[in-house]
Amino acid sequence: MRRGTPILSTVIVLLGAAYFLVPLYAAFQFSLQMKRGELSLEAYRSVLSSSVFLSTLTFSAVASFAAIAMGALLVVPTVYWVRLKLPRLRPVVEFLSLLPLIIPPVVLVFGHIRLFGSNSVLPLTMTASGTNVLLVMGYVVLSLPYMFRAVDNGMAAIDIRTLTEAAESLGASRIRTIAGVIFPNVRSAIVSGAFLTFSICLGEFVLASLLNRPAFGPYMVQLGQDYAYEPAALAILSFALTWTLMALMQLFATRSPGRRRRAPLKTSTTP
């Protein structure tokens, strides 16, 4: 029997798409009305030409990249060791990785301030560089569920026990095995977690605001309080950046780890 068109599924998809796209179109149309009586990109020009926009975006990008590096160095060896040697502790590690979704960020940042304040043994909040370190640590914690899930799924797709035994039979140490064998084989998973981490950290507000850091999230909130058309333009730019990251994540995630293009074989013409 020929299957008919799934009308109900199509309607649900269209309604879901309209729920997200209609407000986005309204924000885009509003962002073009900065000049009275005509449509223009003046709001986008104003946002992109602002030195504060560039400085806050650069600060958040650097902090996000630092959080990605710290998160990968923390998660990949942990997932590898748990899957290889401590499989019974895997449910515990999974539960710990999900705690940032339960604990509000405001609790996390006040805990950081309490532990690393002026009366602490390690007063990181007394200097700008120390506060930046706290911000990156907070970003690592917030992105832990997403980085852990991405790396754990990537680790499940490879035979880490066989790879470890093969590396050890060739004389590789455990650190060299992780760096030279495990990391390249879960590269696509790390890239997927990295893009998710970057998307989360770029627009994060609570940690950056309470730690008084010049990040992109507090800038977006402050711009929304002071102007009318520029926040709409900034929201469209943020959506475009996020969608670009999602597309890149999908592109890198679909690549098989370790595949390289082979050079064509040369055949000899001499008898």
Side-chain angles (χ1 to χ4, degrees):
M1 297 179 61
R2 297 181 59 184
R3 300 181 61 182
T5 304
I7 300 178
L8 181 60
S9 301
T10 304
V11 171
I12 293 176
V13 171
L14 292 177
L15 290 177
Y19 178 79
F20 290 102
L21 295 179
V22 171
L24 188 63
Y25 170 76
F28 176 70
Q29 186 181 24
F30 180 76
S31 67
L32 300 177
Q33 299 176 359
M34 187 172 180
K35 288 186 175 181
R36 189 178 299 275
E38 63 176 307
L39 299 179
S40 66
L41 298 176
E42 184 64 23
Y44 295 89
R45 187 200 62 79
S46 177
V47 170
L48 294 176
S49 62
S50 174
S51 60
V52 181
F53 167 78
L54 296 177
S55 63
T56 54
L57 183 61
T58 303
F59 179 87
S60 291
V62 172
S64 300
F65 290 142
I68 290 170
M70 291 180 60
L73 292 176
L74 173 66
V75 171
V76 174
T78 302
V79 175
Y80 166 75
W81 191 254
V82 169
R83 281 188 168 272
L84 185 65
K85 295 293 185 180
L86 302 171
R88 293 184 178 180
L89 292 181
R90 190 164 176 268
V92 179
V93 177
E94 287 184 351
F95 174 75
L96 293 177
S97 69
L98 294 176
L99 286 179
L101 299 177
I102 303 172
I103 302 175
V106 65
V107 176
L108 175 65
V109 67
F110 275 116
H112 281 174
I113 295 174
R114 183 73 174 177
L115 288 176
F116 303 101
S118 58
N119 296 327
S120 174
V121 179
L122 189 62
L124 295 178
T125 58
M126 301 304 295
T127 61
S129 58
T131 309
N132 293 337
V133 171
L134 282 181
L135 180 64
V136 173
M137 291 170 57
Y139 285 168
V140 172
V141 173
L142 290 182
S143 61
L144 184 60
Y146 312 97
M147 180 66 77
F148 178 85
R149 288 294 174 182
V151 173
D152 188 60
N153 292 334
M155 204 81 71
I158 62 176
D159 190 353
I160 60 174
R161 190 173 299 277
T162 301
L163 291 175
T164 302
E165 292 176 355
E168 290 178 348
S169 66
L170 295 175
S173 63
R174 188 54 56 85
I175 296 179
R176 188 172 182 181
T177 300
I178 296 175
V181 178
I182 302 301
F183 264 96
N185 278 278
V186 295
R187 181 184 63 250
S188 60
I190 295 175
V191 171
S192 299
F195 282 126
L196 290 173
T197 300
F198 187 83
S199 300
I200 293 169
C201 299
L202 189 64
E204 200 282 327
F205 170 74
V206 176
L207 293 178
S209 177
L210 294 180
L211 289 176
N212 196 23
R213 293 290 86 202
F216 191 64
Y219 168 73
M220 292 177 63
V221 175
Q222 185 63 39
L223 192 70
Q225 296 176 354
D226 297 338
Y227 299 94
Y229 300 97
E230 285 85 348
L234 190 59
I236 298 299
L237 292 175
S238 301
F239 271 110
L241 179 60
T242 303
W243 288 351
T244 303
L245 292 177
M246 294 299 104
L248 291 175
M249 180 188 70
Q250 184 67 22
L251 175 64
F252 283 99
T254 53
R255 291 185 177 181
S256 300
R259 289 185 70 180
R260 293 182 181 179
R261 181 177 297 177
R262 295 182 179 180
L265 296 176
K266 294 183 179 180
T267 57
S268 176
T269 57
T270 60

